[in-house]
């Protein structure tokens, strides 16, 4: 049983998805989806333990030997990412039970869970597979289902947002496909480990450079690297609450994983940083994302939009760590993947609670909501503090590692910039907190007097993440150590 | 109990008190009871700990390993011990006073008030006992955040605006400058521990050392070095007990405490004395002393006058520490204690006047000394201590600072000390003159403030005098700090008690 | 030179199709036309893959024991998957356009953006 875990983690949601269509019953499909998600979560924990103990796991799909057959490879890095993805997915399932029918109506619930499970299995598949073409297939599975999920939003703008995402996402995936095709042209293999071994001999060819460009660009589109982020704000803003939480916590993280995998495992460290000299380019994009998108977030009037732009800025932080090209930088990036998943999911969960009760995400409508929904807004505030990077929260830890990593490399300006950008985060989080707690309600649009605190089934998942933010801000043995090990392993194995 | 247990309890007791106050929020008497019990328990614990520290013990405790080489770590040393003693003792007095004040003025949200207060005290203990810069920074920020609801207690627009200034300056400076300085120190040295004799010596080039000093001094916004002082006058919109304990003792003292701590235990006095480009600190601090005194002269609002007086007195401490000589460091440490007692008395008096007579301006105080003899008597004693005349604690600390200035032959510092004494007299004596020697307005019908208020201010005024006659405890601790400053005997017993 | 143009003519076709597709996606306001552009763009990649698999003089890879040169079947198989994905994308995109038409009453992006800004 245990030796099949690498494939089971993907199969569980993949099999549950069509069963949901067959079942058609709202509550039943929820139960099925929850079991599948929690099962994946349990498997991911087991996998991580197994990897930490025995090292990299290789699984030959259908016993076809690699490089001919498809191989699933689990090392520290993807075991860590699997854990983040399944953990976020597990936390939001209790939340979904109440939020999904409220936002989409009873009738469509089973279709929602079908899409959701497909998306999850796509993300897990991308993470676990060791085959470049297989990545594309799973990428499209998760993308197609997430287009559908986004379009389920209440506002008609969700449709337009989903369409825009579909166009840009398809272009990104196709770019990726071109890159993989060019790699195959030069090496005759699709297995990542095999690719890595064979690229060595042909890496000075212009085609490999082109392939690198296409692959990085394609992943960059899915990752919403500034300036390729155009699809993200609208998609996050108008998607149903559960979808926003899920995508914000997982989708971009998996894309970043892919980027790391290709940079380090396939192309290799020396090719990326010495031959292509991608470091400065990534640095510039990262810094631009941090500064510009934080500034844009300050001017937004819709909470989810603020958070969406903040997400793009946070991706900038992660890329900054990548651009350093050092173990410490990579560790900071991985740590921030973990911590950011927690804080952003927590913030979007709080938004889900607000949307459930108030039905609006505009700041004007939410003035004084803190008095009506103290627990929800308190959760928002605490996760917001984590986003800013206040000490004793998870956000502080990742910023600390990031700043020390940039200083270790001698990039003073970047370090100063990270600190200054935290102030921008302070402004945009402060804006929401001030409106919620310290402003008098505007009369007219939404009647806040009838608003009550969100139900427990929504509050509990939110607060689980709040406590996770605080816990991992104080006790960093687990998160930082695993991130450090994964970073070492990745760079150590890289050429 | 072992010293480690005591140390742990000094954080746990106010934290538990916070929960207790919150849980009993509905029953006012019980809630106030919890506050008082917590305060007394904390003070006893700190006193027990002080006994061990005077005996030479240096308990330390690691809470959790948050960052590599920079865990949440507590370690007691004499400076922090003195600070904790002052803060925990004055918390008892201040709690008594708060009860009188909050009830006398029928303030709203009293539970929130007491809860935030207890958190602020817990974080003050954390600052006092912090074993490394990271821990200190964490509790420093908690203190800022927990006092924000106290500053904006009134909830009106003025309080909101003041709250933004308060948070903006304190959080802004601490994140942009202090945190940067901490991280740079960490990257350069590889540790953030406070060690006698400093950790930076020989680890950073001169220019970086000088830059770090600038970052630290302006990063510690709570020390209110001009031009980052405006948060302090803004914070005066808070209820008076907040101004009294937090903005005369806990918060601002946390600022200068951190300044002294950084100078003594991070830089090391010897290192700083040899470092180029550091003289500016004496001049900026001296300038702040004089400028703030001049502003205080022109302020008619009593609390505003006291606030600027605080700014100037804080810079005494910074200036003394910036002389980089052990005697002046002793003066700085003693001044932390002396000013705490003096200034809390003055604020208590201001609150007492507001509660009894609803007066806030100096120009309204004609003859009030005859109606409120206790209040204005205490005010006079506090003022004497501020000016630095015997028989008050302020005299001793100024004496040491002056000695330090003489020793280093720093003419500017000596001039500042003399001129500022005159200025202090210039803004306090007219208040006392008005209160006692002018006739009260004919329609004045009020008497003394409620009893808890009068008790509180009498105790602190008496404390100011007692510290003059019995300065052994603070002197012993200050000497130990001065010893650590020279780096001679880091773990040894403090100097003999005179 | 001639070799560069004629010898690699299939790659030139790929590039032409790719650019045409991308240009349509970027320049057209009509949502359906954008989707058509997207499909042309994807098709160019299919052609690229199929070109890769072609071996000169090779035939279909049917193994009957005799030694023969045959084309590499793997890219063809891969592209079958990609075609399925492309069809699914087109179907989903068209479904979205139908829903957009129902909600907004138009499929011109300019008008939709304008309506989005107003509300």
């Amino acid at each position: 049983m245990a030796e099949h875990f690498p494939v089971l983690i993907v199969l569980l949601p993949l099999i549950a998805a069509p069963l949901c269509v067959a079942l058609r019953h709202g509550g039943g499909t929820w139960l099925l989806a929850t079991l599948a998600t929690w099962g994946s979560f349990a498997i991911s924990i087991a996998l991580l333990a197994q990897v930490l103990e025995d090292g990299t796991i290789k699984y030959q799909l259908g016993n076809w030997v690699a490089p001919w057959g498809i191989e699933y490879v689990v090392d520290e890095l993807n075991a860590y990412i699997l854990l983040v993805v399944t953990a976020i997915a597990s936390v939001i399932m209790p939340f979904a039970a109440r939020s999904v029918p409220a936002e989409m109506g009873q009738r469509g619930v089973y279709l929602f869970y079908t899409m959701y499970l497909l998306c999850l299995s796509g993300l897990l598949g991308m993470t676990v597979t060791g085959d470049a073409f297989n990545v594309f297939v799973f990428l499209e599975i998760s993308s197609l289902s997430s287009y559908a999920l986004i379009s389920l939003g209440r506002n008609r703008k969700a449709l337009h947002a989903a369409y825009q995402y579909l166009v840009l996402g398809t272009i990104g995936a196709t770019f990726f496909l071109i890159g993989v095709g060019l790699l195959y042209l030069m090496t005759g293999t699709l297995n990542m480990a095999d690719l890595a071994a064979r690229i060595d001999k042909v890496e000075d060819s212009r085609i490999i450079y082109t392939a690198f460009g296409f692959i990085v660009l394609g992943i960059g589109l899915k990752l919403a690297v500034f300036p390729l982020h155009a699809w993200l704000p609208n998609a996050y803003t108008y998607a149903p609450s559960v979808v926003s939480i899920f995508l914000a916590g997982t989708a971009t993280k998996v894309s970043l994983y892919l980027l790391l995998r290709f940079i380090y495992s396939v192309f290799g460290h020396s090719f990326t940083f010495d031959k292509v000299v991608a470091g400065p380019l990534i640095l510039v994009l990262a810094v631009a994302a941090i500064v510009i998108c934080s500034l844009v977030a300050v001017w937004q009037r819709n909470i989810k939009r603020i958070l969406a732009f903040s997400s793009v800025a946070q991706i900038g932080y992660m890329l900054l760590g990548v651009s350093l090209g050092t173990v410490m930088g990579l560790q900071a990036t991985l740590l921030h993947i973990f911590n950011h998943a927690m804080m952003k999911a927590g913030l979007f969960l709080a938004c889900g609670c607000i949307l459930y009760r108030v039905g609006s995400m505009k700041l004007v409508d939410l003035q004084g909501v803190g008095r009506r929904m103290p627990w929800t807004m308190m959760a928002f505030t605490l996760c917001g503090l984590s986003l800013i990077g206040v000490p004793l929260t998870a956000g502080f830890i990742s910023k600390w590692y990031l700043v020390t990593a940039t200083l270790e490399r001698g990039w003073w300006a970047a370090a100063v910039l990270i600190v200054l950008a935290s102030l921008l985060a302070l402004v945009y989080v402060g804006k929401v907190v001030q409106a919620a707690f310290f402003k008098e309600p505007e009369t007219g649009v939404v009647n806040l007097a009838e608003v009550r605190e969100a139900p427990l089934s929504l509050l509990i998942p939110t607060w689980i993440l709040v406590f996770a933010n605080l816990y991992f801000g104080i006790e960093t043995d687990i998160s930082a150590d695993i991130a450090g090990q994964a970073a070492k392993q990745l760079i150590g194995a890289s050429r | 109990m072992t010293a480690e247990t005591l140390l742990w309890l000094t954080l746990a007791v106010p934290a538990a008190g916070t929960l207790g106050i919150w849980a009993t929020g509905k029953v006012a008497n019980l809630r106030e009871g919890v506050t008082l019990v917590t305060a007394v328990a904390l003070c006893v614990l700190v006193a027990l700990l002080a006994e061990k520290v005077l005996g030479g013990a240096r308990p330390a405790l690691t809470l959790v390993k948050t960052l590599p080489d920079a865990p949440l770590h507590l370690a007691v040393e004499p400076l922090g011990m003195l600070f904790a003693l002052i803060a925990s003792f004055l918390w008892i007095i201040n709690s008594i006073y708060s009860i009188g004040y909050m009830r006398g003025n029928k303030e709203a949200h009293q539970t929130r008030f007491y809860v935030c207060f207890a958190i602020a005290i817990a974080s003050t203990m954390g600052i006092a006992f912090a074993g490394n810069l990271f821990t200190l920074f964490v509790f420093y920020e908690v203190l800022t955040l927990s006092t924000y609801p106290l500053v904006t207690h009134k909830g009106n627009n003025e309080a909101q605006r003041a709250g933004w200034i308060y948070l903006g300056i304190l959080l802004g400076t601490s994140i942009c400058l202090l945190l940067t300085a901490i991280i740079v120190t960490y990257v350069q040295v590889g540790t953030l521990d406070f060690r006698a004799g400093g950790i930076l010596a020989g680890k950073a080039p001169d220019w970086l050392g000088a830059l770090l000093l600038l970052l630290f001094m302006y990063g510690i916004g709570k020390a209110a070095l001009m031009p980052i002082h405006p948060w302090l006058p803004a914070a005066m919109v808070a209820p008076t007990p907040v101004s009294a304990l937090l903005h005369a003792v806990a918060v601002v003292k946390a600022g200068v405490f951190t300044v002294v701590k950084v100078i003594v235990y991070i830089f090391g006095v010897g290192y700083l004395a040899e470092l180029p480009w550091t003289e500016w600190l004496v001049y900026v601090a001296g300038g702040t002393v004089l400028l703030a005194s001049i502003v205080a002269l022109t302020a008619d609002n009593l609390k505003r006058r006291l606030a600027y007086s605080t700014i100037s007195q804080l810079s005494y401490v910074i200036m003394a520490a910036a002389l980089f000589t052990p005697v002046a460091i002793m003066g700085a440490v003693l001044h932390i204690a002396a000013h705490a007692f003096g200034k809390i008395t003055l604020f208590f008096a201001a609150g007492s006047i507001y509660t009894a007579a609803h007066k806030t301006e100096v120009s309204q105080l004609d003859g009030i000394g005859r109606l409120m003899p206790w209040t204005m008597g205490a005010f006079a004693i506090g003022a004497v201590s501020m000016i630095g005349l015997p028989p008050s604690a302020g005299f001793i600390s100024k004496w040491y600072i002056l000695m330090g200035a003489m020793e280093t032959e720093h003419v500017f510092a000596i001039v500042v000390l003399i001129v500022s004494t005159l200025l202090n007299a210039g803004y306090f004596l007219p208040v006392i003159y008005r209160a006692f020697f002018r006739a009260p307005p004919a329609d004045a019908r009020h008497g003394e403030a409620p009893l808890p208020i009068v008790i509180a201010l009498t105790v602190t005024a008496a404390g100011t005098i007692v510290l003059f006659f019995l300065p052994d405890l603070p002197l012993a601790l200050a000497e130990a700090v001065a010893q650590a400053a020279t780096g001679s005997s880091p773990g040894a017993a403090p100097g003999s008690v005179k | 030179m001639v070799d560069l143009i004629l010898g690699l003519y299939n790659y030139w076709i790929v590039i032409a199709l790719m650019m045409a597709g991308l240009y349509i996606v970027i320049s057209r306001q009509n949502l359906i036309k954008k989707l058509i552009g997207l499909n042309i763009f994807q098709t160019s990649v299919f052609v690229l893959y199929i070109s890769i698999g072609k071996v000169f003089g090779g035939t279909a890879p049917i193994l009957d024991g005799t030694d023969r040169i045959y084309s590499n079947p793997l890219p063809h198989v891969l592209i079958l998957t990609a075609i399925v994905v492309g069809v699914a994308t087109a179907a989903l995109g068209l479904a979205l356009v139908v829903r957009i038409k129902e909600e907004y009453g138009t499929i011109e992006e300019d008008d939709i953006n304008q309506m989005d800004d107003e509300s």
Side-chain angles (χ1 to χ4, degrees):
Chain A
M1 179 71 179
E3 73 266 21
H4 293 296
F5 276 168
V7 70
L8 267 181
I9 196 171
V10 184
L11 278 186
L12 216 54
L14 194 62
I15 293 174
L19 286 182
C20 281
V21 183
L23 204 60
R24 277 183 169 256
H25 177 267
T29 50
W30 173 78
L31 192 67
L32 191 62
T34 308
L35 289 178
T37 314
W38 289 0
S40 302
F41 182 46
I43 294 175
S44 78
I45 294 175
L47 274 176
L48 185 63
Q50 221 173 316
V51 168
L52 288 178
E53 191 138 316
D54 310 329
T56 308
I57 303 168
K58 297 198 170 191
Y59 183 85
Q60 319 284 347
L61 215 61
N63 276 334
W64 288 89
V65 183
W68 296 281
I70 293 170
E71 187 183 35
Y72 282 7
V73 182
V74 186
D75 59 7
E76 277 95 343
L77 177 65
N78 46 13
Y80 179 75
I81 301 290
L82 285 177
L83 185 74
V84 175
V85 172
T86 51
I88 297 293
S90 302
V91 171
I92 58 177
M93 285 317 291
F95 184 91
R98 193 126 183 189
S99 172
V100 170
E103 284 181 37
M104 273 153 277
Q106 270 304 341
R107 277 186 54 231
V109 169
Y110 74 97
L111 287 173
F112 173 86
Y113 286 118
T114 311
M115 289 298 156
Y116 167 82
L117 286 168
L118 281 176
C119 188
L120 178 64
S121 75
L123 292 174
L124 295 175
M126 277 156 82
T127 314
V128 89
T129 186
D131 183 282
F133 192 83
N134 207 224
V135 169
F136 168 75
V137 175
F138 279 119
L139 176 74
E140 282 294 14
I141 291 180
S142 77
S143 298
L144 285 169
S145 47
S146 58
Y147 308 144
L149 283 170
I150 289 167
S151 72
L152 292 174
R154 263 198 256 192
N155 195 316
R156 67 179 180 184
K157 288 177 192 172
L159 293 169
H160 192 205
Y163 180 86
Q164 282 175 326
Y165 185 21
L166 179 129
V167 171
L168 286 175
T170 306
I171 292 176
T174 312
F175 274 177
F176 178 80
L177 188 62
I178 297 170
V180 172
L182 294 177
L183 281 185
Y184 181 74
L185 181 66
M186 289 308 289
T187 61
T189 181
L190 290 168
N191 182 290
M192 287 186 195
D194 207 27
L195 268 173
R198 290 171 189 233
I199 278 183
D200 213 10
K201 296 171 198 95
V202 287
E203 71 179 9
D204 287 328
S205 129
R206 214 184 305 161
I207 297 183
I208 296 291
Y209 279 75
T210 317
F212 180 83
F214 271 117
I215 287 180
V216 169
L217 201 62
I219 298 175
L221 258 168
K222 297 298 295 184
L223 173 58
V225 177
F226 181 88
L228 307 174
H229 66 282
W231 58 270
L232 187 141
N234 278 334
Y236 280 16
T237 308
Y238 301 114
S241 300
V242 177
V243 179
S244 305
I245 305 160
F246 182 66
L247 292 183
T250 60
T252 48
K253 312 290 178 289
V254 172
S255 305
L256 189 65
Y257 156 79
L258 271 189
L259 187 67
L260 292 177
R261 183 57 86 200
F262 272 90
I263 284 182
Y264 284 103
S265 298
V266 175
F267 288 101
H269 183 272
S270 62
F271 178 80
T272 310
F273 289 96
D274 301 335
K275 290 230 167 108
V276 185
V277 201
L281 177 72
I282 302 178
L283 175 75
V284 169
L285 293 182
V287 166
I290 294 173
V291 176
I292 296 174
C293 291
S294 297
L295 272 175
V296 175
V298 170
W299 301 114
Q300 298 305 315
R301 292 195 212 98
N302 179 313
I303 299 184
K304 274 174 111 174
R305 259 186 111 76
I306 293 178
L307 295 181
F309 276 105
S310 145
S311 278
V312 183
Q314 300 290 326
I315 290 163
Y317 284 111
M318 298 171 206
L319 286 175
L320 187 60
V322 176
S323 74
L324 293 168
T326 59
V327 176
M328 273 189 85
L330 195 56
Q331 185 186 8
T333 298
L334 294 178
L335 198 56
H336 199 48
I337 288 181
F338 182 79
N339 290 339
H340 179 252
M342 282 190 305
M343 58 181 111
K344 238 343 127 38
L347 285 166
F348 273 112
L349 274 166
C351 285
C353 294
I354 300 172
L355 198 65
Y356 184 79
R357 282 298 190 210
V358 185
S360 169
M361 283 276 91
K362 291 196 186 118
L363 271 180
V364 200
D365 298 340
L366 296 174
Q367 291 184 358
V369 78
R371 262 161 269 165
R372 314 298 315 175
M373 306 175 71
W375 288 100
T376 305
M377 287 317 293
M378 195 54 98
F380 188 95
T381 310
L382 287 171
C383 290
L385 289 179
S386 187
L387 188 64
I388 299 165
V390 174
L392 296 189
T393 59
F396 177 77
I397 305 293
S398 34
K399 291 229 169 112
W400 177 275
Y401 275 89
L402 197 55
V403 171
T404 46
T406 48
L407 286 181
E408 181 215 41
R409 194 80 156 68
W411 293 1
W412 295 82
V416 170
L417 217 109
I418 296 170
V419 175
L420 287 181
S422 304
L423 284 189
L424 288 175
L426 179 66
V427 175
Y428 60 69
V429 173
K431 233 174 85 164
V432 179
V433 172
Q434 198 201 14
F437 282 107
F438 300 112
K439 280 200 176 157
E440 292 307 317
E442 295 261 316
T443 46
V445 198
V446 179
N447 190 2
L448 274 184
E450 288 166 13
V451 170
R452 283 177 295 125
E453 183 55 88
L456 269 185
S457 56
L458 304 191
L459 275 180
I460 289 172
T462 315
W463 276 87
I464 288 177
L465 282 175
V466 171
F467 282 118
N469 268 302
L470 298 178
Y471 179 80
F472 289 109
I474 297 171
E475 179 67 60
T476 55
D477 269 359
I478 306 173
S479 52
D481 281 6
I482 298 177
Q485 277 190 36
K488 265 195 216 101
Q489 197 265 345
L490 194 59
I491 290 194
S494 179
R495 284 175 296 124
Chain B
M1 267 189 283
T2 63
E4 277 72 22
T5 322
L6 283 172
L7 180 56
W8 180 78
L9 280 175
T10 52
L11 277 185
V13 164
T18 308
L19 290 178
I21 294 165
W22 184 59
T24 56
K26 294 250 157 57
V27 193
N29 286 333
L30 193 59
R31 181 187 64 201
E32 263 80 306
V34 174
T35 304
L36 282 175
V37 169
T38 315
V40 172
L42 179 65
C43 189
V44 170
L45 286 170
V46 173
L48 287 173
L49 191 59
E51 198 192 332
K52 303 209 169 178
V53 170
L54 281 173
R58 294 286 182 275
L61 187 69
T62 299
L63 297 176
V64 272
K65 288 194 181 108
T66 304
L67 296 171
D69 301 320
L72 274 182
H73 180 72
L74 299 179
V76 184
E77 46 72 55
L79 180 59
M81 197 61 247
L82 182 66
F83 182 39
L85 268 176
I86 300 167
S88 61
F89 175 68
L90 290 178
W91 189 30
I92 307 180
I93 317 291
N94 194 73
S95 301
I96 299 171
Y97 181 88
S98 302
I99 294 165
Y101 183 93
M102 298 303 277
R103 293 190 179 183
N105 287 309
K106 302 190 178 57
E107 295 273 355
H109 305 301
Q110 291 200 17
T111 306
R112 188 178 76 188
F113 175 86
Y114 288 110
V115 165
C116 289
F117 224 118
I119 299 175
I121 293 295
S123 41
T124 306
M125 292 299 129
I127 292 173
F129 294 138
N132 58 28
L133 262 178
F134 170 67
T135 315
L136 192 143
F137 179 74
V138 166
F139 285 110
Y140 183 99
E141 296 293 27
V142 176
L143 183 60
T144 307
L145 293 176
S146 64
T147 45
Y148 172 74
L150 295 171
V151 170
T152 57
H153 189 85
K154 285 210 177 78
N156 53 20
N157 276 338
E158 195 200 347
Q160 296 279 326
R161 213 170 32 249
W164 276 114
I165 297 175
Y166 186 80
L167 265 197
I169 293 184
L170 288 185
L171 280 185
T173 54
S174 65
I175 292 175
C176 285
L177 307 176
L178 181 57
L179 186 59
T180 313
I182 293 175
I183 294 172
V184 171
T185 311
Y186 178 76
V187 172
Q188 289 291 334
V189 187
T191 178
L192 291 173
D193 290 350
F194 293 120
R195 285 191 201 140
I199 54 172
L200 266 171
K203 291 282 172 56
D206 280 357
W207 66 269
L208 187 60
L211 181 70
L212 276 176
L213 185 72
L214 183 72
L215 286 176
F216 270 118
M217 291 306 126
Y218 278 104
I220 305 165
K222 290 191 165 103
L225 203 59
M226 276 184 180
I228 49 165
H229 65 285
W231 64 269
L232 186 56
M236 290 300 141
V237 295
T240 307
V242 176
S243 311
L245 186 61
L246 297 178
H247 301 121
V249 183
V251 174
V252 290
K253 289 294 155 14
V256 286
F257 167 80
T258 312
V259 167
V260 176
K261 196 126 184 178
V262 164
I263 287 179
V264 174
Y265 295 102
I266 294 293
F267 285 97
V269 175
Y271 172 61
L272 275 176
E274 281 161 23
L275 197 66
W277 310 302
T278 53
E279 301 86 32
W280 62 270
L281 187 55
V282 178
Y283 291 101
V284 169
T288 307
V289 170
L290 296 179
L291 272 176
S293 301
I294 291 168
V295 178
L297 265 178
T298 63
D300 191 35
N301 183 296
L302 185 55
K303 278 178 81 175
R304 194 175 154 79
R305 186 173 287 198
L306 292 179
Y308 274 97
S309 164
T310 307
I311 296 173
S312 103
Q313 299 280 337
L314 291 174
S315 278
Y316 270 121
V317 180
I318 302 175
M319 189 176 78
L323 291 172
F324 309 138
T325 166
V327 184
I329 298 279
M330 273 184 78
V333 175
L334 289 172
H335 201 65
I336 291 179
H339 176 251
F341 276 87
K343 192 47 68 61
I344 200 171
T345 311
L346 290 169
F347 271 112
F348 279 172
S352 168
I353 294 167
Y354 176 71
T355 311
H358 298 289
K359 285 175 180 164
T360 54
E361 310 301 309
V362 174
S363 54
Q364 300 169 329
L365 296 182
D366 287 356
I368 202 158
R370 299 181 201 175
L371 299 165
M372 307 176 69
W374 286 95
T375 301
M376 291 315 291
F379 187 92
I381 293 172
V384 165
S385 182
M386 287 299 117
I387 300 167
L389 299 175
S392 68
F395 173 73
I396 300 182
S397 53
K398 274 204 184 169
W399 180 258
Y400 274 95
I401 299 178
L402 196 59
M403 283 198 347
M406 298 280 194
E407 189 187 297
T408 51
E409 293 174 353
H410 209 300
V411 180
F412 176 76
I414 299 170
V415 171
V416 165
L417 283 169
I418 296 168
V419 174
S420 72
T421 305
L422 291 176
L423 286 170
N424 284 347
Y427 60 79
F428 277 125
L429 292 183
V431 180
I432 300 170
Y433 172 79
R434 226 177 240 282
F436 284 105
F437 299 106
R438 286 212 188 163
D443 57 344
R445 291 272 177 272
H446 62 89
E448 263 300 352
L451 188 61
I453 293 185
V454 175
I455 293 175
L457 55 86
T458 312
V459 172
T460 54
T464 313
I465 308 277
V466 169
L467 274 182
F468 175 77
F469 290 107
L470 302 168
D472 296 350
L473 178 66
L475 263 180
L477 291 169
E479 261 176 23
V481 177
Q483 252 179 22
T486 56
S488 55
S489 51
S496 58
V497 177
K498 276 183 188 165
Chain C
M1 191 66 197
V2 174
D3 200 39
L4 183 69
I5 298 172
L6 291 181
L8 298 173
Y9 77 97
N10 44 349
Y11 292 104
W12 289 113
I13 291 175
V14 168
I15 292 171
L17 276 177
M18 198 180 281
M19 291 305 120
L22 269 182
Y23 177 76
I24 297 172
V25 173
I26 295 165
S27 64
R28 293 298 109 178
Q29 294 300 321
N30 186 305
L31 297 185
I32 298 273
K33 288 183 181 168
K34 264 178 185 294
L35 280 182
I36 292 171
L38 201 62
N39 269 328
I40 294 175
F41 174 54
Q42 287 180 308
T43 307
S44 74
V45 183
F46 306 158
V47 176
L48 173 74
Y49 267 72
I50 293 164
S51 306
I52 295 170
K54 171 71 183 166
V55 175
F56 286 107
T59 59
I62 301 165
L63 299 185
D64 53 2
T66 55
D67 258 346
R68 282 196 299 183
I69 299 172
Y70 55 88
S71 291
N72 184 351
L74 187 68
H76 300 183
V77 176
L78 295 180
I79 228 56
L80 266 180
T81 319
I83 289 170
V84 172
V85 168
V87 170
T89 310
L92 184 61
L94 288 170
L96 279 175
V97 175
V98 171
R99 289 279 294 120
I100 287 174
K101 170 78 177 170
E102 283 171 11
E103 291 285 339
Y104 287 85
T106 174
I107 53 167
E108 293 298 321
E109 193 140 45
D110 283 346
D111 299 342
I112 296 172
N113 280 332
Q114 203 181 348
M115 288 159 96
D116 276 353
D117 290 341
E118 279 164 8
S119 61

